[in-house]
Amino acid sequence: MVTSQASIAARLDRLPVSRVHYRLLTINGFAWAFDAFDVGLITFVVAALNKAWNLTTAQTGIVLSSGMFGMLIGAFLSGPLADRYGRKAIFQWTMLIFSISSLLCATAWNFNSLIVFRFFTGLGLGGETPVVTSLLSEFVPSSGRGKVQGLLNSFWAIGWLAAAAISYYIIPWLGWQWAFVAGALPAFYVWIVRRSMPESPRWLALNGRMEEADNVVKSIEKQVSKTHSLTELKGEDISNYEDKKVSTATLFSRQYLSRTVMLWMLWFLAMFGYYGLFAWLPSLLVKSGHTMVKSFLFVLIMQLAYVPNQIISAYLMDRFGRKPLLVFNLFMATLATLAFGYALGHTLTTVHVVMLGIVVSFFVSGVWGIIYMYTPELYPTGIRVTGTSWAATLSRVGSMLAPLIVGFSLSSLGIGGVFSVVACTFALAGIIVAILGIETKGLALERISTTITN
């Protein structure tokens, strides 16, 4: 059989989901957990910094925002770089950047030095996440891509719990600097990625590196054949897999423009809704009459409720499809957010507040579990990471605007009004996906990008 782009993709897609795919999921998943660890870590560190450096409220906001701004820039830059120089290379470099920058944060001698180091930490962090999702999607066969790819986001909870544990045990005893030192540990993980994570065969084939692509696929086939019998490929099977080099301008071409608009709006609105809910939630709980301790406990319970729907949605996507499941979760998040806002605004019982908070977290988690796996499917290999990373850039805009808008609106709209605004963002995202979204269940990545139109 002559090795070609089409044959590389067809060979990957005919494989059953097996141990090798879950190993790749684990490698990418722990990178995902490290990202979550850093995001969670800073929320705990700022509390210690407020005491150590007597930071004002504005300065605390700048520390948090500097990382977010870095994530925005990182997301914007990493996609084109990964599509040009390879997924694995940018994966390693972005991980190194945010690990080394976290270590530099531990050496920060004043406020200004810290925000510079936090910017570079965010730069690496924001650059890595789109690369991880796109890289994994290019290995998993279409029959199980929803399940394997969907499970990736469940690793986020591991990172958050690790950040909470490290902060609880290290900061009180050793100081906030050592929490940042712990945040630098992913630098050692780069060697695992270097040794155990192959470059995407689809990207290698697209860039004319056929021998390397063939060797990667042969290695995967050899591992899968230990537990599964492999079917022979026919000429007509291979002919269904077509891909070609495209430029970044293709994102805005007639074929892809509606997908790009849909994804940009979806990422912006969904992230606005997420941060609109959770950034102010402890303060809103206190404002509605709950104690600070209870407020933190409620938020922790809601974060734990973030996990189950990640797993449920991962297993349902290959059965019911990405689009209907995403629309369902967005509209259920809308209703749950409205009910939660009503409960807080009318000081209902603690049981009602906690239960409704769990429901909100459950459906919002499903939204993000689907978005992260759905987005890379909608673009061809040549611009897959660019399309994903630029959509993620819009989400960073949403994450920065949401806390500001909620803060300014709270006095005029009240708790119920603010949560109504947040609910509307989920509803609008659901409408946009229902109109512009396409179904990708069971389709090869090449088939989605070349034959499915909006």
Side-chain angles (χ1 to χ4, degrees), residues 16 89 119 126 133 142 186 226 276 308 375 382 401 440 449-450:
F119 169 81
T133 55
S142 57
K226 293 177 181 179
T375 303
L401 287 179
T440 59
S449 64
T450 57

Side-chain angles (χ1 to χ4, degrees), residues 31 34-35 38 93-103 120-126 128 183-184 186:
F34 287 134
D35 294 350
D38 185 85
W93 276 109
T94 51
M95 182 173 281
L96 271 177
I97 288 170
F98 90 71
S99 299
I100 294 171
S101 299
S102 181
L103 186 61
F120 283 103
T121 304
L123 189 73
L125 178 64
E128 184 190 324

Side-chain angles (χ1 to χ4, degrees), residues 169-372:
Y169 288 106
I170 287 184
I171 292 176
W173 301 103
L174 300 177
W176 57 268
Q177 292 92 341
W178 284 95
F180 281 129
V181 172
L185 293 177
F188 296 101
Y189 195 71
V190 171
W191 299 108
I192 295 177
V193 174
R194 186 177 181 85
R195 291 175 60 88
S196 305
M197 188 74 208
E199 179 57 272
S200 164
R202 283 181 159 95
W203 181 85
L204 289 170
L206 183 66
N207 286 273
R209 295 161 63 174
M210 291 299 175
E211 184 177 352
E212 293 175 70
D214 184 48
N215 288 336
V216 172
V217 176
K218 281 180 178 177
S219 175
I220 295 173
E221 289 172 334
K222 181 179 180 180
Q223 294 176 70
V224 174
S225 64
K226 293 177 181 179
T227 54
H228 299 79
S229 58
L230 303 184
T231 58
E232 290 294 327
L233 285 175
K234 300 177 180 178
E236 57 267 28
D237 297 325
I238 296 174
S239 66
N240 290 327
Y241 293 84
E242 298 176 3
D243 209 347
K244 60 182 179 180
K245 274 201 168 185
V246 291
S247 68
T248 303
T250 306
L251 290 171
F252 311 103
S253 65
R254 184 174 182 179
Q255 181 179 3
Y256 292 99
L257 180 60
S258 60
R259 302 184 195 190
T260 299
V261 170
M262 183 270 292
L263 289 172
W264 285 19
M265 293 300 295
L266 171 63
W267 280 72
F268 173 82
L269 292 167
M271 191 63 83
F272 185 100
Y274 176 83
Y275 274 88
L277 274 171
F278 292 106
W280 276 88
L281 191 52
S283 300
L284 293 178
L285 286 165
V286 172
K287 188 177 179 65
S288 65
H290 300 281
T291 67
M292 182 69 72
V293 174
K294 280 189 175 180
S295 298
F296 287 151
L297 177 61
F298 295 165
V299 173
L300 175 61
I301 293 171
M302 291 173 203
Q303 287 295 326
L304 292 174
Y306 202 80
V307 178
N309 204 19
Q310 299 278 321
I311 299 171
I312 293 171
S313 294
Y315 280 87
L316 292 180
M317 274 188 280
D318 287 324
R319 181 174 182 182
F320 296 106
R322 289 72 156 132
K323 179 178 175 179
L325 201 59
L326 179 54
V327 171
F328 172 77
N329 276 282
L330 283 165
F331 283 126
M332 291 304 295
T334 301
L335 297 176
T337 301
L338 287 171
F340 188 48
Y342 178 87
L344 288 176
H346 291 76
T347 59
L348 296 186
T349 65
T350 299
V351 173
H352 286 112
V353 170
V354 174
M355 291 302 295
L356 287 170
I358 288 173
V359 173
V360 169
S361 186
F362 180 85
F363 287 112
V364 171
S365 73
V367 167
W368 280 107
I370 300 166
I371 287 175
Y372 277 118

Side-chain angles (χ1 to χ4, degrees), residues 5-26:
Q5 288 177 236
S7 68
I8 290 292
R11 287 162 63 191
L12 287 168
D13 220 37
R14 59 90 183 255
L15 298 174
V17 174
S18 59
R19 185 179 301 174
V20 64
H21 298 105
Y22 288 111
R23 182 174 62 82
L24 295 174
L25 167 65
T26 302

Side-chain angles (χ1 to χ4, degrees), residues 431-454:
I431 292 169
I432 290 171
V433 174
I435 295 172
L436 297 178
I438 63 173
E439 186 49 64
T440 59
K441 180 186 71 171
L443 294 172
L445 293 174
E446 290 74 16
R447 293 283 291 167
I448 297 167
S449 64
T450 57
T451 63
I452 304 297
T453 57
N454 299 98

Side-chain angles (χ1 to χ4, degrees), residues 75-156:
F76 181 79
L77 295 176
S78 68
L81 290 172
D83 283 329
R84 181 172 182 179
Y85 297 107
R87 286 79 163 106
K88 183 177 177 179
I90 304 305
F91 185 176
Q92 294 175 93
W93 276 109
T94 51
M95 182 173 281
L96 271 177
I97 288 170
F98 90 71
S99 299
I100 294 171
S101 299
S102 181
L103 186 61
L104 290 174
C105 286
T107 70
W109 55 92
N110 59 20
F111 171 75
N112 290 331
S113 63
L114 180 62
I115 60 174
V116 171
F117 296 146
R118 281 303 302 170
F119 169 81
F120 283 103
T121 304
L123 189 73
L125 178 64
E128 184 190 324
T129 48
V131 177
V132 168
T133 55
S134 300
L135 176 59
L136 183 60
S137 72
E138 292 177 348
F139 283 96
V140 185
S142 57
S143 60
R145 198 167 54 241
K147 179 176 65 175
V148 177
Q149 185 85 342
L151 288 172
L152 179 65
N153 208 37
S154 63
F155 282 82
W156 195 262

